[in-house]
Tab-separated table of all heavy atoms in Angstrom:
chain	number	residue	atom	x	y	z
A	368	ILE	N	44.528	59.748	-62.518
A	368	ILE	CA	43.940	61.080	-62.418
A	368	ILE	C	43.883	61.459	-60.942
A	368	ILE	O	43.111	60.894	-60.164
A	368	ILE	CB	42.521	61.111	-63.036
A	368	ILE	CG1	42.553	60.667	-64.508
A	368	ILE	CG2	41.900	62.505	-62.904
A	368	ILE	CD1	43.331	61.550	-65.444
A	385	SER	N	40.464	70.930	-64.250
A	385	SER	CA	39.357	69.975	-64.257
A	385	SER	C	38.381	70.230	-63.113
A	385	SER	O	37.343	69.584	-63.025
A	385	SER	CB	39.877	68.528	-64.219
A	385	SER	OG	40.432	68.228	-62.965
A	389	HIS	N	34.079	71.449	-68.028
A	389	HIS	CA	34.873	71.392	-69.258
A	389	HIS	C	34.528	70.170	-70.106
A	389	HIS	O	33.858	69.241	-69.652
A	389	HIS	CB	36.374	71.387	-68.922
A	389	HIS	CG	36.832	70.137	-68.203
A	389	HIS	ND1	36.634	69.943	-66.857
A	389	HIS	CD2	37.481	69.024	-68.647
A	389	HIS	CE1	37.138	68.772	-66.499
A	389	HIS	NE2	37.654	68.186	-67.575
A	391	ASP	N	36.829	67.460	-72.504
A	391	ASP	CA	38.226	67.074	-72.713
A	391	ASP	C	38.606	67.222	-74.183
A	391	ASP	O	37.852	66.827	-75.070
A	391	ASP	CB	38.454	65.614	-72.287
A	391	ASP	CG	38.329	65.427	-70.775
A	391	ASP	OD1	38.568	66.399	-70.033
A	391	ASP	OD2	37.998	64.308	-70.346
A	404	LEU	N	36.257	56.521	-65.816
A	404	LEU	CA	37.048	56.689	-64.595
A	404	LEU	C	36.656	55.590	-63.625
A	404	LEU	O	35.460	55.350	-63.405
A	404	LEU	CB	36.741	58.023	-63.910
A	404	LEU	CG	37.350	59.334	-64.400
A	404	LEU	CD1	36.953	60.449	-63.437
A	404	LEU	CD2	38.871	59.254	-64.505
A	416	ASN	N	33.364	64.775	-55.512
A	416	ASN	CA	32.408	64.169	-56.449
A	416	ASN	C	32.830	64.561	-57.868
A	416	ASN	O	33.618	65.495	-58.049
A	416	ASN	CB	30.993	64.716	-56.222
A	416	ASN	CG	30.309	64.127	-55.004
A	416	ASN	OD1	30.940	63.498	-54.163
A	416	ASN	ND2	29.010	64.358	-54.914
A	417	THR	N	32.294	63.874	-58.864
A	417	THR	CA	32.453	64.356	-60.233
A	417	THR	C	31.071	64.763	-60.743
A	417	THR	O	30.101	64.005	-60.599
A	417	THR	CB	33.082	63.284	-61.144
A	417	THR	OG1	34.333	62.886	-60.567
A	417	THR	CG2	33.347	63.839	-62.539
A	525	TRP	N	31.601	59.130	-55.127
A	525	TRP	CA	32.349	57.917	-55.447
A	525	TRP	C	32.441	56.930	-54.283
A	525	TRP	O	32.683	57.324	-53.145
A	525	TRP	CB	33.779	58.275	-55.843
A	525	TRP	CG	33.873	59.038	-57.121
A	525	TRP	CD1	33.934	60.397	-57.269
A	525	TRP	CD2	33.914	58.497	-58.446
A	525	TRP	NE1	34.011	60.737	-58.598
A	525	TRP	CE2	34.004	59.584	-59.343
A	525	TRP	CE3	33.893	57.193	-58.969
A	525	TRP	CZ2	34.073	59.406	-60.727
A	525	TRP	CZ3	33.957	57.033	-60.338
A	525	TRP	CH2	34.048	58.122	-61.206
A	533	TRP	N	31.442	58.786	-69.364
A	533	TRP	CA	30.633	59.893	-69.882
A	533	TRP	C	30.875	60.109	-71.366
A	533	TRP	O	31.957	59.811	-71.872
A	533	TRP	CB	30.860	61.176	-69.094
A	533	TRP	CG	32.227	61.802	-69.209
A	533	TRP	CD1	32.599	62.758	-70.110
A	533	TRP	CD2	33.378	61.554	-68.392
A	533	TRP	NE1	33.912	63.110	-69.904
A	533	TRP	CE2	34.423	62.388	-68.857
A	533	TRP	CE3	33.639	60.711	-67.318
A	533	TRP	CZ2	35.680	62.403	-68.279
A	533	TRP	CZ3	34.911	60.716	-66.749
A	533	TRP	CH2	35.903	61.556	-67.224
A	540	HIS	N	31.885	68.083	-67.789
A	540	HIS	CA	32.155	67.427	-66.507
A	540	HIS	C	33.143	68.265	-65.716
A	540	HIS	O	33.817	69.142	-66.269
A	540	HIS	CB	32.679	66.004	-66.708
A	540	HIS	CG	34.010	65.921	-67.393
A	540	HIS	ND1	34.155	66.058	-68.754
A	540	HIS	CD2	35.265	65.737	-66.911
A	540	HIS	CE1	35.431	65.948	-69.075
A	540	HIS	NE2	36.141	65.765	-67.971
A	541	ARG	N	33.216	67.992	-64.420
A	541	ARG	CA	34.210	68.650	-63.558
A	541	ARG	C	34.399	67.815	-62.292
A	541	ARG	O	33.483	67.112	-61.850
A	541	ARG	CB	33.754	70.063	-63.146
A	541	ARG	CG	32.555	70.030	-62.233
A	541	ARG	CD	32.264	71.361	-61.563
A	541	ARG	NE	31.050	71.243	-60.770
A	541	ARG	CZ	30.450	72.247	-60.166
A	541	ARG	NH1	30.933	73.477	-60.286
A	541	ARG	NH2	29.372	72.043	-59.450
A	542	ALA	N	35.608	67.907	-61.741
A	542	ALA	CA	35.829	67.365	-60.405
A	542	ALA	C	35.364	68.434	-59.420
A	542	ALA	O	35.643	69.620	-59.617
A	542	ALA	CB	37.307	67.066	-60.195
A	551	ARG	N	42.973	60.969	-53.154
A	551	ARG	CA	41.947	60.615	-54.167
A	551	ARG	C	42.647	60.145	-55.438
A	551	ARG	O	43.529	60.825	-55.974
A	551	ARG	CB	41.073	61.824	-54.475
A	551	ARG	CG	39.947	61.564	-55.505
A	551	ARG	CD	39.322	62.894	-55.824
A	551	ARG	NE	38.071	62.903	-56.528
A	551	ARG	CZ	37.951	63.021	-57.852
A	551	ARG	NH1	39.023	63.036	-58.621
A	551	ARG	NH2	36.758	63.124	-58.395
A	553	MET	N	41.867	58.195	-59.264
A	553	MET	CA	41.017	57.623	-60.297
A	553	MET	C	41.910	57.058	-61.403
A	553	MET	O	42.946	57.655	-61.707
A	553	MET	CB	40.126	58.709	-60.930
A	553	MET	CG	39.272	59.466	-59.959
A	553	MET	SD	37.920	58.448	-59.358
A	553	MET	CE	37.426	59.470	-57.980
A	555	ARG	N	41.910	56.277	-65.430
A	555	ARG	CA	41.124	56.679	-66.604
A	555	ARG	C	41.532	55.946	-67.867
A	555	ARG	O	42.720	55.726	-68.126
A	555	ARG	CB	41.294	58.181	-66.841
A	555	ARG	CG	40.505	58.698	-68.046
A	555	ARG	CD	40.503	60.201	-68.088
A	555	ARG	NE	41.739	60.709	-68.661
A	555	ARG	CZ	42.008	62.013	-68.825
A	555	ARG	NH1	41.122	62.926	-68.452
A	555	ARG	NH2	43.141	62.401	-69.342
B	662	LIG	C1	39.046	63.850	-66.327
B	662	LIG	C2	38.393	64.683	-65.316
B	662	LIG	C3	37.324	64.649	-63.156
B	662	LIG	C4	37.514	64.000	-61.821
B	662	LIG	O1	39.529	62.753	-65.964
B	662	LIG	O2	39.091	64.266	-67.513
B	662	LIG	O3	38.032	65.804	-65.601
B	662	LIG	O4	36.542	64.008	-61.038
B	662	LIG	N1	38.194	64.108	-64.110
B	662	LIG	O5	38.617	63.529	-61.532
Side-chain angles (χ1 to χ4, degrees):
I368 302 296
S385 70
H389 67 281
D391 292 334
L404 281 185
N416 284 14
T417 304
W525 293 95
W533 67 92
H540 65 281
R541 67 167 177 187
R551 181 188 193 265
M553 304 287 166
R555 180 170 81 180

